[in-house]
Amino acid sequence: MKDIEIAQATKIENIEKIAAKLDMQDYLLKYGVDKGKIDFTKIKSLSQGHLILVTATSPTPYGEGKTTISIGLLDALSKLGYKATASLREPSMGPVFGMKGGATGGGYSQVIPMEEINLHFTGDFHAITAANNLLCAAIDNHIHQGNELNIDENRIMFNRCLDVNDRVLKDITINSNLPHHEHFDITAASEIMAILCLSKNYEDLENRLSNILIAYSKEGQPLFAKNLKITGALVVLLKDALKPNLVQTLEHNPVLLHGGPFANIAHGCSSIIATETALKSSDYCITEAGFGSDLGGLKFYDIKSRLLKKRPDAVVLVTTIKALKYNGQGTLELGLANLQAHLDILSKFTKNIIVCLNKFTSDTESEITLLKEYVSKNNLSFCLSTSYTEGSRGALALAKQVIKLTDNTPYKELYDVKKSLQDKISFIIKDIYQASNINYTPKALAKITELEKNKLDQKPICIAKTQYSISDNKNLLGYPKNYTVTIRDLKLYNGAGYITVYLGNIITMPGLPKKPNYEEISFENNQIKGLF
């Protein structure tokens, strides 16, 4: 059976029963019978559970199953009698209609209702898009109505967004009484998406929205959203979106699905509010970070952990034979170098690492043995998961390893944000990515000078780069070392609280592939077909 057929064949429990498993039925705002939102403002302080991070080695274009493993682990911990919750990201419709597909897991390790989650869900992405584009309209309107702030229309720093892939909108010129250049981001890469995910409450949300850098004046002074007196309207648009969404797995265990920033161009983690809610209501909170440990994993420790004031108590590093072979140009032995690259990255943060093989039917015993022996030589735990085909039963061994390995890890910052921008960039590029040289474009150097001059530089770094390599070049597979990285540009996400550093030719508005997924999607006999 296909993923969507498995999901549609599963009887969904009333969402009130799922909320009751977290003792949160009093905080539930129902969206029909199968999903709801949690009013986090009413939650009393409860005990703090263990935080388990799921990340991965460098992926192939179709991903390696982090969400499937996360859901399987949640179901297995629940099967063993523990109170467990997952805090996961909402899917963007860009990949759903593009190449990668949905993001609700797969096989017998899924969250449901799968079709609604992958499409409009509870409207969070629409609210973010609307708030984002209202701010853009306000900037243009301010200029049109006399430009009291003396905004330099050639130095507008805030972009419009849309939650579908549309390469034509990557760079356009707006023809108006004041023609100017415009650049669209996909909603998952927008600053307001990041702000929603990093806000702790409504007061924090309002403060972060107020501090969005919108433009520079013609005198070179930074201007912020609060200068347009628009913050209250933005909060109103986002008031429901800030509440985390509650859904369930195929085995009827609770999942808080909230926020959806991409990890190659944003910080790649679910919301602070959802994660804290899961920690307060569970023995174990399982969360994932997008793409590999070099992207979402690094950003979890560097950006999200700073706000949580908590590091993961254990890390599950997901890999597949397919991905390792991809990184070894068809050879598993060579591809193991990519596994080592990610183990070296994670070892800078923790010793509590479990390497989990997401097992495919095509994997041979000799390949599995080779991988297991390699992990053993690193003195690390190894486990394989078959949760895709067996649900919780296929992840019981992984769950037992997690229970055995987990401890309370003290919080420690990755670096001091007060260091210079080039020092922070150098630490990530050289110490973590193992590059030997860094080239800065004149544009990037000018941005650094300006941020430091305006005292806007004391923030963590969010690297935007290809997900297919540790480096900035997607063709440098395996474990590249002693290479040169080019810093193309920087952008201050002042409201979100980080500075994005763009490597190579990474873009924030992807295009559609030659054969997009939307060609397979249809609505027949009152059912959605073709989603995966």
Side-chain angles (χ1 to χ4, degrees):
M1 293 175 71
K2 295 180 179 178
D3 290 351
I4 191 169
E5 293 170 338
I6 294 170
Q8 290 174 341
T10 302
K11 185 179 184 299
I12 298 181
E13 287 274 18
N14 191 298
I15 199 65
E16 291 178 340
K17 291 184 178 180
I18 307 303
K21 291 187 175 185
L22 300 176
D23 298 319
M24 289 199 173
Q25 58 270 38
D26 293 338
Y27 316 132
L28 178 68
L29 306 170
K30 293 181 68 175
Y31 277 52
V33 298
D34 55 5
K35 57 189 177 296
K37 281 184 171 287
I38 298 294
D39 187 350
F40 66 92
T41 64
K42 297 180 179 178
I43 297 174
K44 299 171 185 176
S45 182
L46 303 173
S47 60
Q48 184 91 326
H50 290 295
L51 181 61
I52 311 301
L53 175 64
V54 179
T55 184
T57 56
S58 298
T60 64
Y62 295 96
E64 304 316 309
K66 287 190 306 299
T67 306
T68 300
I69 297 300
S70 298
I71 296 163
L73 176 57
L74 161 64
D75 285 336
L77 285 166
S78 300
K79 198 178 190 73
L80 291 171
Y82 292 92
K83 201 173 179 182
T85 313
S87 172
L88 305 176
R89 293 174 298 161
E90 300 174 55
S92 161
M93 287 195 293
V96 168
F97 293 122
M99 180 172 67
K100 195 175 179 182
T104 54
Y108 291 89
S109 188
Q110 294 189 60
V111 287
I112 48 177
M114 179 260 219
E115 312 98 298
E116 294 182 37
I117 292 168
N118 278 313
L119 297 173
H120 301 287
F121 197 26
T122 57
D124 292 349
F125 275 58
H126 298 310
I128 292 165
T129 303
N132 184 102
N133 293 343
L134 175 62
L135 179 52
C136 290
I139 296 167
D140 290 343
N141 184 59
H142 183 88
I143 296 171
H144 177 79
Q145 300 293 350
N147 199 6
E148 183 181 344
L149 294 172
N150 206 22
I151 293 171
D152 184 345
E153 59 268 21
N154 295 312
R155 299 206 65 202
I156 294 172
M157 309 305 292
F158 192 80
N159 303 323
R160 285 172 167 81
C161 72
L162 188 69
D163 190 37
V164 294
N165 294 1
D166 192 345
R167 66 170 54 84
V168 173
L169 296 178
K170 184 173 65 173
D171 291 295
I172 62 173
T173 299
I174 293 179
N175 292 314
S176 62
N177 62 327
L178 283 171
H180 61 274
H181 182 76
E182 180 63 273
H183 169 89
F184 274 70
D185 296 326
I186 193 164
T187 299
S190 68
E191 182 169 7
I192 292 185
M193 172 63 79
I195 286 172
L196 181 102
C197 290
L198 295 172
S199 296
K200 291 192 170 185
N201 48 48
Y202 284 107
E203 182 182 5
D204 191 22
L205 173 68
E206 184 168 1
N207 182 59
R208 288 175 180 275
L209 292 168
S210 295
N211 288 315
I212 293 172
L213 176 68
I214 58 166
Y216 286 92
S217 70
K218 292 177 181 178
E219 296 79 26
Q221 293 300 308
L223 300 169
F224 305 95
K226 58 189 171 187
N227 299 126
L228 295 175
K229 302 177 182 178
I230 195 175
T231 309
L234 300 180
V235 173
V236 166
L237 283 173
L238 296 169
K239 67 180 180 64
D240 293 325
L242 192 64
K243 299 180 177 106
N245 307 294
L246 179 66
V247 289
Q248 62 192 282
T249 69
L250 295 177
E251 300 187 20
H252 312 304
N253 293 310
V255 176
L256 291 168
L257 212 64
H258 197 214
F262 286 165
N264 57 344
I265 42 184
H267 74 284
C269 305
S270 62
S271 76
I272 292 284
I273 290 173
T275 304
E276 288 189 329
T277 301
L279 285 169
K280 288 176 181 177
S281 58
S282 310
D283 300 319
Y284 291 91
C285 167
I286 298 95
T287 192
E288 65 171 352
F291 294 123
S293 69
D294 56 318
L295 285 167
L298 167 65
K299 294 168 187 180
F300 192 101
Y301 278 96
D302 193 15
I303 296 172
K304 187 169 179 177
S305 281
R306 287 180 190 269
L307 297 172
L308 284 172
K309 295 299 179 189
K310 179 176 177 61
R311 282 190 166 194
D313 299 313
V315 176
V316 177
L317 178 64
V318 178
T319 193
T320 62
I321 300 295
K322 177 182 66 173
L324 295 175
K325 283 183 174 180
Y326 178 82
N327 274 275
Q329 298 180 335
T331 305
L332 178 57
E333 288 88 343
L334 294 176
L336 289 170
N338 185 255
L339 173 62
Q340 189 62 56
H342 290 277
L343 291 176
D344 287 349
I345 290 171
L346 290 174
S347 68
K348 296 180 185 297
F349 314 137
T350 182
K351 294 179 180 178
N352 295 346
I353 304 167
I354 302 168
V355 177
C356 177
L357 174 66
N358 184 16
K359 187 178 182 298
F360 284 67
T361 55
S362 57
D363 300 344
T364 67
E365 287 301 319
S366 61
E367 289 170 338
I368 295 170
T369 298
L370 178 63
L371 175 59
K372 184 176 181 179
E373 289 175 349
Y374 187 87
V375 173
S376 180
K377 288 177 183 176
N378 278 269
N379 297 313
L380 295 173
S381 299
F382 173 81
C383 217
L384 60 83
S385 172
T386 55
S387 60
Y388 182 90
T389 55
E390 297 185 289
S392 60
R393 287 190 299 116
L396 286 173
L398 174 61
K400 291 172 183 176
Q401 288 274 25
V402 165
I403 294 164
K404 180 180 177 182
L405 193 65
T406 300
D407 65 12
N408 290 305
T409 303
Y411 172 69
K412 180 183 177 185
E413 288 188 346
L414 193 57
Y415 52 78
D416 186 349
V417 294
K418 293 180 181 178
K419 288 187 174 182
S420 73
L421 276 173
Q422 290 199 37
D423 281 348
K424 289 182 285 191
I425 292 169
S426 179
F427 171 76
I428 294 173
I429 301 300
K430 292 185 175 180
D431 287 40
I432 295 180
Y433 293 164
Q434 299 293 309
S436 54
N437 297 297
I438 304 174
N439 286 339
Y440 290 86
T441 64
K443 182 179 183 180
L445 289 172
K447 292 280 185 72
I448 289 172
T449 299
E450 185 168 53
L451 289 172
E452 291 177 341
K453 181 186 76 173
N454 288 301
K455 296 181 169 51
L456 296 169
D457 58 311
Q458 293 187 4
K459 294 174 173 60
I461 300 300
C462 179
I463 296 292
K465 73 173 186 70
T466 178
Q467 63 267 34
Y468 299 121
S469 172
I470 301 295
S471 74
D472 59 348
N473 179 352
K474 67 178 183 179
N475 296 317
L476 288 180
L477 302 177
Y479 195 168
K481 293 183 180 181
N482 300 319
Y483 57 95
T484 298
V485 162
T486 298
I487 309 298
R488 175 172 57 84
D489 197 5
L490 289 87
K491 183 174 181 179
L492 172 65
Y493 283 69
N494 196 56
Y498 58 71
I499 297 167
T500 297
V501 176
Y502 296 95
L503 310 188
N505 59 359
I506 191 72
I507 58 174
T508 56
M509 171 52 83
L512 290 162
K514 188 171 183 178
K515 185 172 176 55
N517 288 336
Y518 62 67
E519 294 181 2
E520 306 298 324
I521 297 172
S522 63
F523 189 63
E524 303 170 20
N525 300 319
N526 211 35
Q527 276 197 325
I528 294 171
K529 306 286 185 181
L531 274 179
F532 67 92

